[in-house]
Amino acid sequence: MKQPLAFRLRPTKLDEIIGQKHLLGENMVFRKCIENKRLFSMIFSGPPGTGKTTLAMCLAQELELPYKLINAVTSTKKDLDTIFEQAKYYNGFVLIIDEVHRLNKDKQDLLLPHVENGTIILIGATTSNPYFAINPAIRSRCHIFEIKPLNDSDIAFAIKRALNDTNGLNGEYSIDDDALEIITKNCGGDLRYALNVLEICAIASDSVITKETVLQYSNKVNSSISSGDDGHYDAVSAFQKSIRGSDVQAALYYLARLIQAYDMDSIERRLLVIAYEDVGLGNPAAVGRVISGIDAAKRVGFPEAMIPLSVVVTDLCLSPKSKTASNAIHEALDLVNKTSYAVPDYLRLTPISLNTDEKYDYGRADLWPLIQYLPTQIKNVEFYVPENTSQYEKQLGINYYNLKKTKRSNNLKQLKIDNKK
């Protein structure tokens, strides 16, 4: 069968690559690599269809280095052993690994020493965030570069070039401006997707690719979000930050992107975290409404699940916010990680060598708020600091300061008695 259009048009030289000016522009890093005839191990991270593998192959070809392209999932240990033997006969052998984040531990153990001593120059390609998805042992031996989605003008240029290239459509078709704009907008920066749409539209057309033909085969935007990839984590991050910033319009937009990916699990986890972390004591009742809304969404399922979810997100966005409780536990954990103080004797489960009047009195509820509970070395530390974000937390603050004042007053009285003694 005839090779796909995107495959036939795959660049073989850096000058043929569209976009990535931050890496391929004048005096940029990969131009310097070619000038100095030097290549090093790298990880290319970016969305699908942005040219990660193509860029790796072009670098090897321009430097006239032997290379091998494999997939981390389908390649075996035997495949790697064969490559390592082959690499010994060359002064620089490039191993390009697609989906490098899926490289299992056994394969990594085989690969690491050869990357370490320079027998193998590794170029890994991944759609995931390398700082989360790539094993630290691999990551520490590689430079990490972001491969960015192509912009609209880059996509439009590539489509026009494909129409006239002898390896492409060879001038046999033209395209309406409206049709070109739809493909450009719908591809989401994925050139492979754009060329696939162009190819099927050409097959379905006589000589002119029209808006109507394109809408028939590309009536939905190509999303870069799928559960577990980098675009997914970016959207989840933007989702929480939008709610934290009380921007209801942005929060609904990112909710829609997560709904488009049918990712109920991430939506559920993130909304619960937001309710406790960002809204918190500013509106404690919101937690219950979030749980009810998520339960309703899961019962009805998509697409109707979007309705209760939109109510929950709007509620959280426009609620008073308070991170005081979340900040407090982070402060406490930070201190615990740095220090270690003994629990006061009178708070221990089974205190030893204490007089009866020194032990914790289970029958004196009136005394409980007056006791010092922190170790003496940190008795004045404050993790929780109230804010007036809502009437509820304002009242908590009043209670807190009243109790603090009472305890301080009691401590002063005790100090005077001790001094008289």
Side-chain angles (χ1 to χ4, degrees), residues 326-341 381 383:
S326 173
N327 290 341
I329 190 59
H330 280 94
E331 291 284 339
L333 282 170
D334 185 55
L335 182 59
V336 167
N337 288 331
K338 295 176 181 176
T339 60
S340 178
Y341 301 114
V381 72
F383 301 116

Side-chain angles (χ1 to χ4, degrees), residues 3 80 114 124 164 207 222 249 283 286 297 306 317 375 398 403 416:
Q3 294 171 328
L80 289 176
H114 299 284
N164 296 304
S207 59
N222 178 43
Q249 313 302 346
N283 184 4
M306 72 176 72
C317 268
I398 293 171
L403 288 166
K416 290 176 182 178

Side-chain angles (χ1 to χ4, degrees), residues 353-359:
S353 302
L354 285 182
N355 297 326
T356 302
D357 62 339
E358 293 176 319
K359 293 182 180 181

Side-chain angles (χ1 to χ4, degrees), residues 24-51:
L24 298 173
E26 186 177 356
N27 293 322
M28 293 294 106
V29 59
F30 291 157
R31 294 294 177 185
K32 292 295 184 182
C33 286
I34 301 302
E35 290 175 16
N36 296 311
K37 298 189 181 303
R38 175 82 187 279
L39 199 59
F40 40 82
S41 291
M42 299 175 278
I43 301 293
F44 292 164
S45 170
T50 51

